[in-house]
Amino acid sequence: MKYGFLSPIHDKAPMGKGSLHKGNANGVKHSKCIIFPPKVSMVAESLERRNQNWIVRAKVANDLIIQVGDSIFQLHKLPMVSRSGYLNRLVFQRICIRDKNTVSTIQIDNFPGGAEIFELVVKFCYGWKVDLTAANIAPAYCAAYFLEMSDDLEQGNLISKAETFLSFILLTSWKEIFQIFKSCETIASWAKKLQVLKRCSEAIAWKASMDPKTFTAGDDDSLGYNAQSNNAKNSQHSCIAENWWFEDVSFLRIDHFLEVIESTKRKGVRSELVGSCIAHWTEKWISQIPFGQHNQPTHQLLKVTAESLIKVLPAEKNSVSCNFLLHLLKLGIMMRIEFELLNKLEQRIALMLEQCSASDLLVRNYGNTDTVYDVRIITRVVESYVSSVLNNPAPRIYVVGRLVDEYLTMIAKDEKLPIKHFQLLAEALPKDARYCDDNLYRAIDMYLKAHPKLTEEERTSVCKAMDYHKLSEEARQHAMKNERLPLYISMRLALLEQVNMTKSSTNNRSNYRRTKTQTIIRISKGLDKGCMTPQKELTMMKKEVENMKVQLNALQKCKIQLQRQIKGCTI
């Protein structure tokens, strides 16, 4: 028996508020396929519904009852078993056990699409018109396979009809692919088993891998890109950005999104584009999370989602930004994901620090009572970096030292930033990670200015990471006059300044005397070589050495005296 098949048609209908793509204009085309058999094995008058009961009225009494969930369908064996191998087998088993004239009752659990899709199947079996759309094609396709409605029973059975229409949508309509994804949420296991999700993902990946410059004016609906919006009716499609597909994909739930990402990787989409898409999806997803208000099932979902996102990240270098990875690391720490996965992500970020800017390290905290930025996570990454270069120090560690100091400067004004967090990050790098401590001094000064109520001990601990010997002359002069610094540091700087001045004066006098002596010797030798005996030369050199010893002793006494003054002040 041959079935009639009307080619898929398009109905013009505006997208409603529930549209996947909010920027769509009215007049979007929707595919619909109408199928019905020209000849049927039984003529049915009507299909009546009473609450949860469906009854097919015909001249022959009903002899088949099928229960789908809470719904009951009173049907006839002949039209149903002639097109369903599954029902044929079950009915035959019951006929062999019972009298063939009795009514057969079949209960179907976990039917794809539920009673609504089974009603569609009943209409198809009885020869009534059936409308297939993007919203019901996936469950109808799965239901047809569940019921084994293949062409082996009837040519043009439901499997082949659904397959034809599904393939048509995947090839021609971008937006309706996302409707198929949405309809698969209630039939996830069947959609995965029959590779409906994979086929939808591959269709998206195929279009995402295309060069936007090759798009023509007739591709608007296929691309999900409204080229006529924002008064750009006549704009060239060559201006379409490579990330035109991000927004539509961002509405997919995590399992469907992962399917799309894996497909784009297989299709050869650039790793930077794949990484940006993951970041876009994650940013939208995180903004919808009510942190601190979720229960245990929600926490588990968030944990699995975070782990899945980390696993699907492109392995290529610079495929994702450091800032995004830091946010992902923070999420992983909050959700307590697998340690190995967390450690792997942490090391990946650490290796990116040498190419980062200070603004890349800004990771906002979610709570209102916490600091503005998460400093502990940066400390953790910096410590990981130091561990990785400890045995083989890289010359670019100075770059990370400057990066950390710039970051400290940016966060120093936060009044809620605890001393411990500031100090741990400042001390996370080894002493030789900085050529000069001017930037660190600037960050410390800004922190002290933003926290004027700190005690002398607390201010001393803040300054602990700074090596005042590495300050420039300009910074040292500023620090000596800085009343915000603890007295201990001020006295140290004063001592250093006095020592330097004394050393400079001593060097000048020594150089002068040495030069004068050498000049006299040279002149004396030039005028009369016999006037200066070796004994006289030796005596003169001894006197010069004695003078230098006296000056050094005076310098040592000065240093001891200043140190005593410092101890007296600290006591």
Side-chain angles (χ1 to χ4, degrees):
M1 181 180 295
K2 293 184 178 181
Y3 281 69
F5 177 69
L6 296 183
S7 298
I9 61 175
H10 291 292
D11 288 342
K12 289 186 177 181
M15 294 289 280
K17 293 181 179 179
S19 167
L20 285 175
H21 195 281
K22 296 182 180 179
N24 298 337
N26 290 341
V28 175
K29 298 177 180 179
H30 293 275
S31 301
K32 183 172 72 173
C33 176
I34 302 175
I35 57 176
F36 60 91
K39 297 180 181 179
V40 293
S41 55
M42 175 177 290
V43 178
E45 297 174 355
S46 63
L47 174 62
E48 299 178 2
R49 179 179 179 181
R50 298 176 182 175
N51 297 325
Q52 294 297 100
N53 295 330
W54 278 263
I55 304 172
V56 174
R57 299 296 184 185
K59 294 180 180 180
V60 181
N62 302 96
D63 56 359
L64 177 63
I65 296 176
I66 298 179
Q67 183 173 351
V68 179
D70 296 332
S71 302
I72 297 175
F73 292 82
Q74 298 183 30
L75 311 170
H76 302 86
K77 294 176 183 177
L78 184 58
M80 300 303 296
V81 301
S82 63
R83 292 169 180 82
S84 171
Y86 175 82
L87 295 177
N88 192 320
R89 189 167 56 253
L90 292 181
V91 170
F92 179 76
Q93 291 172 358
R94 283 161 176 74
I95 289 177
C96 294
I97 297 173
R98 302 184 183 89
D99 184 359
K100 66 179 181 179
N101 295 322
T102 60
V103 177
S104 297
T105 302
I106 298 174
Q107 182 171 346
I108 302 177
D109 297 321
N110 301 322
F111 182 77
E116 182 180 354
I117 296 301
F118 191 78
E119 179 185 4
L120 182 149
V121 173
V122 169
K123 290 181 178 180
F124 176 83
C125 291
Y126 277 91
W128 287 316
K129 182 181 72 171
V130 175
D131 293 342
L132 293 180
T133 65
N136 65 19
I137 183 58
Y141 182 77
C142 295
Y145 269 95
F146 180 93
L147 295 172
E148 302 171 19
M149 301 178 70
S150 66
D151 285 2
D152 294 339
L153 295 175
E154 288 284 352
Q155 189 66 29
N157 211 344
L158 187 56
I159 288 179
S160 61
K161 298 292 187 185
E163 171 65 35
T164 302
F165 185 57
L166 178 60
S167 300
F168 171 78
I169 291 179
L170 296 179
L171 287 173
T172 61
S173 180
W174 168 267
K175 296 189 183 304
E176 290 178 344
I177 294 176
F178 294 93
Q179 293 183 32
I180 296 175
F181 266 123
K182 188 68 177 176
S183 67
C184 287
E185 293 181 0
T186 57
I187 54 169
S189 59
W190 274 96
K192 187 172 183 179
K193 179 181 178 181
L194 297 175
Q195 296 192 336
V196 175
L197 294 177
K198 183 178 179 181
R199 292 172 64 182
C200 290
S201 300
E202 289 176 345
I204 291 176
W206 174 68
K207 290 185 179 293
S209 65
M210 295 171 62
D211 187 351
K213 295 180 181 179
T214 64
F215 298 153
T216 61
D219 289 333
D220 293 357
D221 183 59
S222 298
L223 299 179
Y225 184 89
N226 186 12
Q228 296 182 354
S229 63
N230 299 325
N231 299 320
K233 220 175 225 186
N234 300 320
S235 63
Q236 296 291 330
H237 279 263
S238 59
C239 298
I240 298 176
E242 288 182 307
N243 63 353
W244 61 267
W245 50 283
F246 285 11
E247 187 63 20
D248 287 324
V249 170
S250 68
F251 286 95
L252 296 175
R253 73 181 196 181
I254 181 63
D255 53 339
H256 297 169
F257 176 73
L258 294 176
E259 287 274 0
V260 170
I261 293 300
E262 292 294 350
S263 295
T264 55
K265 287 182 179 180
R266 290 193 297 267
K267 195 64 180 175
V269 177
R270 289 188 299 106
S271 60
E272 299 85 5
L273 208 57
V274 175
S276 296
C277 183
I278 296 174
H280 185 86
W281 186 94
T282 307
E283 182 181 358
K284 176 170 286 190
W285 175 69
I286 287 180
S287 65
Q288 300 172 356
I289 300 175
F291 287 100
Q293 302 178 10
H294 49 264
N295 50 27
Q296 184 59 33
T298 306
H299 177 87
Q300 185 63 26
L301 175 62
L302 298 178
K303 179 182 177 181
V304 172
T305 301
E307 291 177 343
S308 301
L309 289 171
I310 295 173
K311 291 176 181 177
V312 81
L313 288 172
E316 290 79 3
K317 187 177 180 180
N318 298 325
S319 57
V320 281
S321 69
C322 179
N323 187 260
F324 167 66
L325 292 180
L326 282 168
H327 279 88
L328 203 55
L329 178 62
K330 179 178 177 62
L331 181 66
I333 294 173
M334 292 176 62
M335 296 299 113
R336 298 179 181 178
I337 65 173
E338 299 176 6
F339 174 78
E340 184 178 350
L341 204 59
L342 201 64
N343 189 50
K344 184 178 179 181
L345 179 60
E346 187 177 291
Q347 291 177 354
R348 178 171 181 172
I349 300 171
L351 294 176
M352 298 176 68
L353 287 180
E354 294 177 0
Q355 290 81 37
C356 288
S357 64
S359 58
D360 293 331
L361 305 183
L362 297 177
V363 180
R364 278 192 169 274
N365 278 315
Y366 301 122
N368 295 326
T369 58
D370 209 341
T371 56
V372 177
Y373 297 106
D374 192 336
V375 182
R376 288 170 294 183
I377 195 172
I378 306 302
T379 304
R380 180 170 178 162
V381 171
V382 172
E383 289 174 347
S384 178
Y385 172 83
V386 173
S387 298
S388 66
V389 300
L390 193 59
N391 297 327
N392 185 22
R396 290 186 63 82
I397 193 173
Y398 296 106
V399 177
V400 178
R402 185 168 60 251
L403 173 71
V404 170
D405 293 344
E406 290 177 1
Y407 175 77
L408 286 170
T409 304
M410 297 178 75
I411 63 170
K413 295 180 180 180
D414 185 0
E415 296 179 356
K416 296 181 180 179
L417 180 61
I419 298 175
K420 184 178 180 180
H421 294 175
F422 185 91
Q423 183 180 353
L424 286 176
L425 179 55
E427 297 175 359
L429 289 169
K431 291 290 186 180
D432 57 352
R434 298 177 174 94
Y435 279 121
C436 176
D437 278 11
D438 283 13
N439 289 334
L440 179 59
Y441 166 65
R442 185 179 296 108
I444 290 173
D445 185 41
M446 291 177 66
Y447 185 84
L448 295 176
K449 185 176 181 180
H451 302 79
K453 297 182 180 180
L454 296 180
T455 63
E456 182 73 11
E457 183 180 357
E458 289 173 334
R459 285 187 292 159
T460 302
S461 65
V462 171
C463 300
K464 188 177 178 182
M466 183 178 65
D467 185 353
Y468 52 85
H469 289 92
K470 289 185 178 181
L471 294 177
S472 66
E473 180 65 25
E474 182 182 358
R476 203 160 51 241
Q477 292 298 327
H478 182 278
M480 290 177 61
K481 302 173 184 178
N482 192 346
E483 297 180 354
R484 289 186 288 270
L485 291 177
L487 184 59
Y488 172 79
I489 298 294
S490 300
M491 295 299 294
R492 286 278 185 178
L493 289 169
L495 172 62
L496 179 63
E497 185 68 17
Q498 189 165 351
V499 168
N500 289 337
M501 291 176 63
T502 306
K503 185 184 296 185
S504 176
S505 176
T506 302
N507 290 337
N508 290 335
R509 286 197 297 268
S510 297
N511 291 337
Y512 171 75
R513 287 173 179 171
R514 187 180 299 111
T515 303
K516 182 177 180 181
T517 302
Q518 291 172 350
T519 303
I520 293 172
I521 291 174
R522 284 197 300 269
I523 294 172
S524 299
K525 284 183 178 180
L527 296 175
D528 184 10
K529 294 182 180 179
C531 294
M532 182 68 70
T533 63
Q535 184 63 33
K536 290 182 179 181
E537 288 184 24
L538 183 62
T539 303
M540 186 174 293
M541 291 176 66
K542 285 182 178 180
K543 287 182 178 180
E544 186 174 351
V545 171
E546 290 297 327
N547 289 333
M548 291 181 66
K549 285 183 179 180
V550 171
Q551 292 170 0
L552 287 174
N553 289 333
L555 183 62
Q556 185 66 24
K557 289 179 181 179
C558 179
K559 180 179 178 181
I560 293 173
Q561 184 178 2
L562 286 172
Q563 287 177 341
R564 288 175 179 174
Q565 292 177 0
I566 291 173
K567 289 182 181 180
C569 292
T570 54
I571 292 172

